Amino acid sequence: MRNYFYIKRMNISLLIGAIVILAGCGDPILDIEESNAYHWQKNMNETEFEKLKEGMSYMEVVKIAGGAGDIVKKNQYRWKDEILMTKTYIVRFKDDKLVDKEVSEVKGNKK
């Protein structure tokens, strides 16, 4: 009987330990997006786009933009324009390093 309580107490301790460990293993992209005051800030604006430099990692770009890009195809991501929604910003990576970036006009939104 005494052995049963010892095992039960040990299982509870292991469960609490696992919860603490899992709580510390958050998603860094989700943390960045949740730190924005408004949901649209996870998109990119022209000022943030100009800060992007060759050789940056995807996570560095996410930090500047304030959120994750949508995958267009392998190693290519797209962020919507957060202000006018008339542009998209395409960023290409190779080996997790920024190699190319471009601004594209959203179809149907002409000046």
Side-chain angles (χ1 to χ4, degrees), residues 96-110:
D96 194 39
K97 299 291 181 198
L98 191 152
V99 292
D100 187 36
K101 63 180 188 172
E102 70 178 80
V103 179
S104 175
E105 189 173 313
V106 175
K107 291 184 171 125
N109 293 320
K110 300 219 179 205

Side-chain angles (χ1 to χ4, degrees), residues 1-109:
M1 186 72 148
R2 186 177 190 156
N3 210 10
Y4 171 76
F5 289 114
Y6 173 75
I7 292 172
K8 189 174 181 181
R9 197 174 337 155
M10 189 173 81
N11 285 340
I12 291 172
S13 298
L14 289 173
L15 178 64
I16 291 170
I19 290 171
V20 169
I21 289 171
L22 290 176
C25 298
D27 181 4
I29 293 175
L30 188 59
D31 292 341
I32 290 168
E33 290 179 348
E34 287 180 348
S35 71
N36 294 328
Y38 302 100
H39 72 87
W40 50 263
Q41 288 177 312
K42 68 181 177 181
N43 296 321
M44 192 179 289
N45 62 45
E46 197 168 330
T47 304
E48 294 166 342
F49 181 74
E50 294 301 321
K51 291 180 183 177
L52 305 182
K53 303 294 178 208
E54 250 183 69
M56 287 183 152
S57 70
Y58 176 71
M59 279 306 298
E60 290 173 314
V61 173
V62 169
K63 287 177 187 174
I64 289 172
D70 299 323
I71 297 176
V72 177
K73 55 185 171 183
K74 186 178 180 185
N75 296 321
Q76 184 173 331
Y77 296 85
R78 174 184 60 220
W79 281 265
K80 295 177 185 172
D81 181 54
E82 71 182 20
I83 298 172
L84 299 176
M85 298 298 210
T86 58
K87 303 175 192 173
T88 59
Y89 302 99
I90 309 292
V91 182
R92 291 177 194 83
F93 295 88
K94 183 176 182 181
D95 300 325
D96 194 39
K97 299 291 181 198
L98 191 152
V99 292
D100 187 36
K101 63 180 188 172
E102 70 178 80
V103 179
S104 175
E105 189 173 313
V106 175
K107 291 184 171 125
N109 293 320

